[in-house]
């Protein structure tokens, strides 16, 4: 069903006719899928529907310009395009609507995303890269409007890197940087800041990116007059148009119902972007949305009769049909016959998809019904179990939830009984949960041999007379080794290039490795993240630097919605092993000493969160991550760059393990758990506590996500019988998370003789200045007194009350 553009310079009328009719067949097929899909939602077989009707013809024109190796970064209207490139069948369309968890039936996300969210497979079943230059690629969609834009920038920048940086093995990823990154967005979503940030950044970077704006004049129910100045996005962006003296965009406008003009426009856009490596914008105007935004409402509620009549006349499929007849390509009768065939094919595809979805559940239902029957026949509460069985049997189209719910409720009636039937049901429930849960919970992290947790620790080694240097020098030398050993590695961020970052951890590296590998960016955190995501998806190893942890908030939505979910939402068929580098914790003032780790760790599950206490540990994390295939956030200690550390002699080779804590002081009385900059205060407090007879053990968490995989903290608590978590995040933040892990995952309560404690910062952000820090975050005295109070409760005679 995909488009097969004829590349011959001259074609016969018969060839032309065949191609046009194939395009029309594809457009009608996609439309019928939308129409029937809506009915499936309204009848209850599917939960929600959001479709690409009204955008069929421009997407077919786009598909003809899309080549192997190219990437799409779009949104949930691009079903016709996916059909046109051969990556979405009728059956797969409906499998997505039904949330089929079989990746073979529903290759977009295995039912993890609602229909309309598309992807191709960049990885094989073992997590290894496929040859992306031999296939047409689509990065996995997300629902947040404009959220696809930052990633689009990175997908396009990868082509620039592959074309201009020597020494990279591009075998599976690029052919001389010839690939275009194609983006799509609705006209209303161009109101989002992420759109403008990306448009500006792509214009600055001059990358091969073509963005299509589908303009149907509405954003759900809200008219363009409430969305866009002048009600015309290309009009207000025309200042981005390039000219003889200034770089910028090539901007096209085309009506979305005009088949021949669309074909010409997309061919011209592709040619200029691919050859000249520049960004292009195509404003596709006068589109329609025949069924409204989604199945949650009807567009008749907000469009007047005049608009509805116009949409009926200028529907792109209707206009193409008229054009075909007017140009004697086919008659009305021929097209009517073709349309009947298409309707039948779509109905049959829908039925096949539903059978593929429901038949495995029918088989599972039959099995559990038999087990319930057996249980009822042997139980004194058989009448109640029989009712559960009958209720389940009465469900015409059961879900797995229905099966499991009935089985688990049945166990309540035999809780005091013992029988083979009960044992069989228990076994079935346990096995079923283990089997089905994986359909929804697997692949949050890489399951390949390159999983970060498979990387072994390599300790730093030192010469006998090892030089003590500023911590930043350890980082600088390690980054130098990284860029020498990994041609595909690059780093970018605000002030990261020319001056070597604000703390000089990249000093001199731009001059040595070039402006494309160690580069400055504008002040635009979200698209810095997007650059990293897109380039990582195309086989590069980017390090995206966010200058301060406080400013990662600008990029947190992209980290949370896109990067953290990518591997999960594709069930392991796409990855972006991006390293996000930042610095945080104690320095000065509200926006340069934040420690909002509680929010971060709860929003970016799927990304490793690493909190090294010094720069040697940080360097080891970078080395570990570059030998793995997973994304991570590394938070360096902002006040540690000028502190002295010994310079290892195995720079670039030592590795800090992920998910492993380190005991940095042995003790007998209490276990103190902390990380990052706060550890130095904890160590000082421990020395002072020793003077009053309190022997504290100190554990450096090192890694918040994942957390203490070996459960070494509970081993310490088994010895000391007391624990305190000290953290500079606010109460209920990271300290609460850590304590939850210790108590509920490691079952430390078994060993506690005293109440577990947390010591955190005040509920406000840290005030400016040394005193501001002292009265905002835990001080040495705060730590000393909190621990002393624990020991006072244990033995008031030995530890009289301080105050």
């Amino acid at each position: 069903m995909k488009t097969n553009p004829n590349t011959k310079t001259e074609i016969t009328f018969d060839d032309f006719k065949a191609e046009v009719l194939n395009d029309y067949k594809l457009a009608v097929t996609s439309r019928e899928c939308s129409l029937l899909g809506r009915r499936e939602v309204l009848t209850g077989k599917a939960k929600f529907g959001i479709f690409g009707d009204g955008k069929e013809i421009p997407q077919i024109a786009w598909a003809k310009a899309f080549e192997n190796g190219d990437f799409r970064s779009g949104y949930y209207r691009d079903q016709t395009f996916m059909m046109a490139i051969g990556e979405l069948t009728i059956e797969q369309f409906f499998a997505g609507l039904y949330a089929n968890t079989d990746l073979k039936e529903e290759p977009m996300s295995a039912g993890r995303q609602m229909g309309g969210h598309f992807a191709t497979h960049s990885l094989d079943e073992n997590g290894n890269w496929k040859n992306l230059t031999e296939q047409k690629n689509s990065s996995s969609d997300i629902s947040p409007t404009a959220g696809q834009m930052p990633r689009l920038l990175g997908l396009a920048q990868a082509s620039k890197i592959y074309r201009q940086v020597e020494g990279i093995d591009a075998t599976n990823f690029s052919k001389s940087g010839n690939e275009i990154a194609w983006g799509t967005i609705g006209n209303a979503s161009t109101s989002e800041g992420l759109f403008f940030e990306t448009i500006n950044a792509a214009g600055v970077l001059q990358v091969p990116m073509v963005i299509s704006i589908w303009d149907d004049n509405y954003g759900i129910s809200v008219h363009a007059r409430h969305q866009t100045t002048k009600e015309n996005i290309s009009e207000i962006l025309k200042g981005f148009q390039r000219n003889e003296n200034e770089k910028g965009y090539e901007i096209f406008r085309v009506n979305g119902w005009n088949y021949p003009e669309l074909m010409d426009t997309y061919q011209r856009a592709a040619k200029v972007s691919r050859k000249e490596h520049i960004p292009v914008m195509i404003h596709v105007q006068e589109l329609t949305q025949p069924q409204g935004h989604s199945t949650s409402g009807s567009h008749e509620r907000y469009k007047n009769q005049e608009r509805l009549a116009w949409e009926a006349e200028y529907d792109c499929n209707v206009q193409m049909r008229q054009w075909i007849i007017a140009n004697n390509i086919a008659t009305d009768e021929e097209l009517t016959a073709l349309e009947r065939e298409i309707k039948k094919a779509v109905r049959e595809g829908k039925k096949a998809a539903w059978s593929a979805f429901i038949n495995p559940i029918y088989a599972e239902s039959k099995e559990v019904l038999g087990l319930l029957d057996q249980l009822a026949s042997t139980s004194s509460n058989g009448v109640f179990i029989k009712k559960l069985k009958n209720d389940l049997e009465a469900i015409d189209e059961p879900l797995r939830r229905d099966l499991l719910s009935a089985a688990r409720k049945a166990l309540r009636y035999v809780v005091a009984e013992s029988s083979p039937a009960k044992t069989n049901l228990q076994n079935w429930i346990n096995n079923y949960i283990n089997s089905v849960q994986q359909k929804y919970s697997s692949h949050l992290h890489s399951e390949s041999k390159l999983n970060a947790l498979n990387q072994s620790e390599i300790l730093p080694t030192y010469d006998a007379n090892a030089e003590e240097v500023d911590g930043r020098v350890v980082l600088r030398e390690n980054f130098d080794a990284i860029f020498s050993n990994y041609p595909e590695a690059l780093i970018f961020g605000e002030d990261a290039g020319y001056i070597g970052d604000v703390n000089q951890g990249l000093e001199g590296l731009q001059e040595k490795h070039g402006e494309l590998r160690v580069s400055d960016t504008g002040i635009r955190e979200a698209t810095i993240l997007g650059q990293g995501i897109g380039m990582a998806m195309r086989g590069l190893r980017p390090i995206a630097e966010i200058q301060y942890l406080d400013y990662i908030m600008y990029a947190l939505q992209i980290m949370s919605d896109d990067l953290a979910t990518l591997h999960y939402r594709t069930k392991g068929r796409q990855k972006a092993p991006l390293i996000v580098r930042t610095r945080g914790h104690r320095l000065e003032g509200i926006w340069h000493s934040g420690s909002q780790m509680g929010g971060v760790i709860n929003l970016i599950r799927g990304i490793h969160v690493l909190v090294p206490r010094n720069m040697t540990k940080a360097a080891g994390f970078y080395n570990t991550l570059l030998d793995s295939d997973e994304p991570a956030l590394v938070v360096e200690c902002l006040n540690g760059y000028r502190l002295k550390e010994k310079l290892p002699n195995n720079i670039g080779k030592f590795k800090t393990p992920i998910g492993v804590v380190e005991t940095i002081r042995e003790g007998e009385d209490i276990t103190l758990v902390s990380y990052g900059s706060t550890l130095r205060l904890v160590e000082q407090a421990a020395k002072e506590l020793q003077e009053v007879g309190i022997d504290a053990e100190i554990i450096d968490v090192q890694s918040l996500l994942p957390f203490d995989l070996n459960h070494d903290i509970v081993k310490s608590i088994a010895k000391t019988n007391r624990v305190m978590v000290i953290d500079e995040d606010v109460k209920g933040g990271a300290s609460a998370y850590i304590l939850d892990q210790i108590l509920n995952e490691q079952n430390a309560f078994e060993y506690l003789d005293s109440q577990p404690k947390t010591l955190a910062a005040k509920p406000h952000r840290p005030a400016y200045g040394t005193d501001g820090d002292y009265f905002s975050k835990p001080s040495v005295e705060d730590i000393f007194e909190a621990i002393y109070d624990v020991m006072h409760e244990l033995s008031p005679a030995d530890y009289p009350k301080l105050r």
Side-chain angles (χ1 to χ4, degrees):
M1 189 168 54
K2 67 180 180 179
T3 61
N4 291 298
N6 197 315
T7 57
K8 294 187 293 185
T9 56
E10 294 183 7
I11 63 173
T12 67
F13 179 77
D14 287 340
D15 290 336
F16 173 69
K17 175 180 177 179
E19 188 167 338
V20 170
L21 290 178
N22 185 65
D23 290 347
Y24 183 68
K25 179 180 179 181
L26 179 60
V28 175
T29 299
S30 179
R31 178 66 61 86
E32 286 300 318
C33 285
S34 297
L35 295 172
L36 190 52
R38 182 180 179 86
R39 287 198 288 273
E40 290 297 278
V41 174
L42 297 180
T43 58
K45 279 190 174 180
K47 294 285 287 184
F48 183 77
I50 193 160
F51 307 112
D53 47 310
K55 318 301 188 286
E56 291 90 351
I57 306 306
Q59 290 183 22
I60 291 171
W62 164 28
K64 290 179 183 295
F66 196 92
E67 296 184 2
N68 284 350
D70 287 359
F71 260 87
R72 165 190 171 272
S73 183
Y75 84 131
Y76 41 76
R77 301 290 182 197
D78 295 343
Q79 72 194 45
T80 309
F81 169 79
M82 294 299 291
M83 290 177 173
I85 65 170
E87 292 295 336
L88 181 68
T89 66
I90 296 170
E91 291 79 8
Q92 290 167 349
F93 172 89
F94 285 101
L97 203 59
Y98 302 140
N100 193 320
T101 57
D102 187 337
L103 194 62
K104 293 179 181 177
E105 300 288 342
E106 204 283 271
M108 304 301 144
S109 73
R112 295 179 178 189
Q113 296 213 84
M114 67 175 66
H117 293 69
F118 305 113
T120 55
H121 293 182
S122 300
L123 310 176
D124 64 21
E125 61 274 11
N126 298 314
N128 300 314
W129 289 108
K130 299 169 70 178
N131 190 329
L132 305 185
T133 69
E134 295 179 349
Q135 65 181 43
K136 293 177 170 64
N137 303 287
S138 173
S139 59
S140 175
D141 295 339
I142 58 176
S143 289
T145 57
Q148 72 275 24
M149 293 295 293
R151 179 201 329 136
L152 172 64
L153 178 65
L155 291 169
Q157 189 181 4
S159 291
K160 182 174 183 177
I161 299 299
Y162 281 121
R163 180 172 286 187
Q164 298 188 27
V165 176
E166 297 180 357
I168 303 174
D169 181 4
T171 303
N172 288 331
F173 306 108
S174 181
K175 291 185 177 179
S176 302
N178 196 45
E179 303 80 21
I180 295 174
W182 299 81
T184 64
I185 191 168
N187 60 298
S189 295
T190 63
S191 302
E192 295 274 12
L194 292 177
F195 171 80
F196 283 96
E197 187 173 320
T198 302
I199 291 296
N200 181 62
V204 170
L205 290 171
Q206 288 292 285
V207 291
M209 177 185 102
V210 181
I211 176 73
S212 295
I213 301 168
W214 308 140
D215 190 347
D216 56 30
N217 232 34
Y218 285 86
I220 308 183
S221 67
V222 180
H223 191 272
R225 64 179 174 272
H226 302 297
Q227 307 274 3
T228 310
T229 302
K230 300 182 180 181
E231 299 182 29
N232 190 319
I233 188 64
S234 60
E235 177 66 19
I236 65 173
L237 292 179
K238 65 183 180 182
F240 282 85
Q241 173 67 52
R242 65 178 183 157
N243 56 46
E244 292 182 0
N245 301 314
E246 298 169 312
K247 295 179 179 179
Y249 278 74
E250 194 64 40
I251 300 177
F252 296 91
R253 296 180 186 177
V254 61
N255 289 332
W257 46 264
N258 194 317
Y259 175 75
E261 287 191 9
L262 284 162
M263 297 298 161
D264 178 64
T265 299
Y266 273 90
Q267 292 299 321
R268 288 191 290 135
K271 183 177 180 180
V272 69
S273 185
R274 202 179 302 278
K275 181 180 178 181
E276 300 182 40
H277 259 214
I278 65 162
V280 175
M281 186 185 307
I282 305 176
H283 185 189
V284 186
Q285 299 173 292
E286 297 195 6
L287 285 170
T288 67
Q289 199 154 276
Q291 297 186 111
H293 174 75
S294 70
T295 54
S296 62
S298 172
H299 65 152
E300 285 86 356
R301 293 163 55 197
Y302 52 85
K303 293 177 183 175
N304 61 34
Q305 290 302 312
E306 182 182 1
R307 174 67 190 189
L308 291 171
W310 181 91
E311 290 198 7
E313 181 180 357
Y314 282 91
D315 182 297
C316 62
N317 287 14
V318 170
Q319 286 288 312
M320 184 178 181
R321 193 182 198 279
Q322 294 173 357
W323 179 85
I324 289 172
I325 295 171
N327 285 276
N328 298 317
I329 296 170
T331 65
D332 176 75
E333 292 76 13
E334 289 171 332
L335 293 181
T336 299
L338 177 62
E339 290 156 1
R340 288 197 195 99
E341 293 175 6
I342 292 169
K343 288 177 184 289
K344 180 180 178 183
V346 172
R347 286 196 302 270
E348 290 175 349
K350 186 267 296 184
K351 290 177 183 177
W354 180 252
S355 294
F357 170 76
I358 200 67
N359 285 343
I361 303 178
Y362 280 148
E364 295 160 11
S365 178
K366 185 177 180 180
E367 185 179 5
V368 74
L369 287 170
L371 291 170
L372 291 174
D373 220 14
Q374 293 173 17
L375 188 66
S377 66
T378 61
S379 172
S380 58
N381 287 317
V383 63
F384 302 107
I385 298 169
K386 194 74 171 178
K387 184 179 185 306
L388 285 172
K389 184 245 182 183
N390 291 339
D391 289 345
L392 177 59
E393 198 168 23
I395 301 175
D396 291 333
E397 294 169 339
L399 298 175
R400 291 188 167 100
R401 177 196 63 183
D402 300 319
L403 276 56
L404 195 53
S405 177
R408 294 168 77 176
K409 286 178 179 176
L411 280 184
R412 302 173 190 175
Y413 292 114
V414 294
V415 66
E417 300 177 10
S418 179
S419 69
K422 176 184 175 181
T423 301
N424 290 339
L425 185 62
Q426 288 173 324
N427 291 337
W428 183 89
I429 291 171
N430 292 334
N431 292 334
Y432 196 67
I433 289 175
N434 290 336
S435 172
V436 175
Q437 189 66 55
Q438 288 305 301
K439 296 178 184 294
Y440 299 97
S441 300
S442 70
H443 293 91
L444 180 61
H445 293 281
S446 170
E447 297 180 10
S448 79
K449 62 184 178 182
L450 294 176
N451 183 301
L453 305 186
N454 290 337
Q455 304 299 315
S456 300
E457 180 179 18
I458 299 176
L459 292 170
T461 56
Y462 301 91
D463 295 332
N465 57 345
E467 180 184 4
E468 288 210 343
V469 298
D470 289 347
R472 70 167 188 91
V473 174
V474 177
L475 275 178
R476 183 194 68 194
E477 297 303 298
N478 198 74
F479 279 129
D480 187 18
I482 284 172
F483 298 134
S484 298
N485 296 332
Y486 297 88
E488 67 276 19
L490 62 158
I491 192 167
F492 45 90
E494 299 159 16
D495 301 305
Y498 184 73
I499 68 168
D501 91 37
V502 290
N503 298 103
Q504 297 291 278
L506 299 168
E507 180 188 22
L509 297 188
Q510 184 181 82
E511 183 178 0
K512 182 174 181 179
H513 297 285
E515 291 187 12
L516 286 174
R517 297 190 66 199
V518 183
S519 56
D520 290 308
T521 69
I523 299 176
R524 47 173 182 79
E525 286 80 5
T527 46
I528 291 172
L529 253 293
Q531 286 176 251
I533 295 170
M535 286 194 282
M537 293 185 74
R538 292 192 58 192
L540 296 170
R541 294 310 309 266
I543 302 171
E545 179 172 314
I546 303 299
Q547 195 159 99
Y548 298 109
L549 177 63
D550 303 80
Y551 300 124
I552 212 164
M553 305 299 281
Y554 283 101
L556 194 54
Q557 185 256 322
I558 296 302
M559 291 181 69
S560 178
D561 289 328
D562 198 355
L563 181 61
T565 67
L566 177 64
H567 199 256
Y568 169 78
R569 71 180 189 266
T570 61
K571 202 175 183 181
R573 294 308 173 95
Q574 289 187 2
K575 64 181 177 183
L578 167 65
I579 300 172
V580 182
R581 180 195 183 206
T582 191
R583 50 193 67 82
H585 310 313
R586 293 170 184 260
L587 189 64
E588 298 294 349
I590 294 176
W591 287 288
H592 294 85
S593 53
S595 185
Q596 55 273 38
M597 300 306 296
V600 169
I601 60 179
N602 284 292
L603 288 169
I604 63 171
R605 299 297 171 95
I607 300 174
H608 295 315
V609 177
L610 311 176
V611 283
R613 68 179 181 270
N614 59 38
M615 303 309 157
T616 302
K617 290 289 185 180
F621 277 136
Y622 292 122
N623 297 337
T624 297
L625 292 167
L626 282 163
D627 281 344
S628 77
D629 65 350
E630 297 189 82
L633 169 67
V634 181
V635 184
E636 298 167 8
C637 293
L638 188 48
N639 58 1
Y641 294 105
R642 301 293 174 177
L643 298 179
K644 298 300 182 183
E645 300 180 31
K646 288 184 178 181
L647 183 65
N649 59 20
N650 59 340
I651 284 285
K653 297 179 180 178
F654 60 87
K655 295 181 180 181
T656 308
I658 291 175
V660 178
V661 304
E662 182 179 357
T663 301
I664 59 177
R665 187 184 192 279
E666 299 279 352
E668 298 292 331
D669 294 329
I670 189 170
T671 299
L672 307 181
V673 181
S674 191
Y675 62 89
S677 295
T678 305
L679 271 167
R680 288 192 283 276
L681 305 184
V682 174
E683 288 182 279
Q684 179 59 38
K687 291 178 183 177
E688 297 176 11
L689 286 163
Q690 189 76 53
E691 296 171 2
V692 296
I694 300 173
D695 188 18
E697 183 151 301
I698 302 174
I699 294 179
D700 178 8
V701 167
Q702 298 197 106
S703 171
L704 287 169
L705 293 176
F707 181 83
D708 189 11
L709 296 174
N710 299 327
H711 288 194
D712 289 326
I713 293 176
V714 74
K715 297 170 189 173
S716 171
I717 295 170
K719 176 178 65 173
T720 65
N721 307 119
R722 279 164 286 280
V723 65
M724 180 177 292
V725 179
I726 303 101
D727 177 35
E728 59 179 287
D729 195 1
V730 298
K731 292 181 179 180
S735 58
Y737 160 78
I738 292 170
L739 190 59
D740 174 75
Q741 291 284 310
I742 293 170
L743 295 179
N744 293 319
E745 294 296 323
Q746 301 188 14
N747 297 320
F749 61 87
E750 297 180 16
Y751 306 103
L752 289 170
D753 292 339
S754 299
Q755 178 185 348
K757 296 279 190 176
T758 62
L759 178 61
K762 297 297 187 289
H764 53 77
R765 296 288 283 272
Y768 172 63
T770 301
D771 281 347
D773 175 81
Y774 187 87
F775 288 99
S776 299
K777 294 187 174 184
S779 65
V780 172
E781 290 71 36
D782 291 332
I783 297 167
F784 180 100
E785 291 178 4
I787 296 165
Y788 187 92
D789 284 347
V790 172
M791 302 307 292
H792 166 73
E793 291 175 6
L794 173 70
S795 179
D798 294 328
Y799 305 102
K801 190 171 182 64
L802 278 172
R803 59 182 175 89

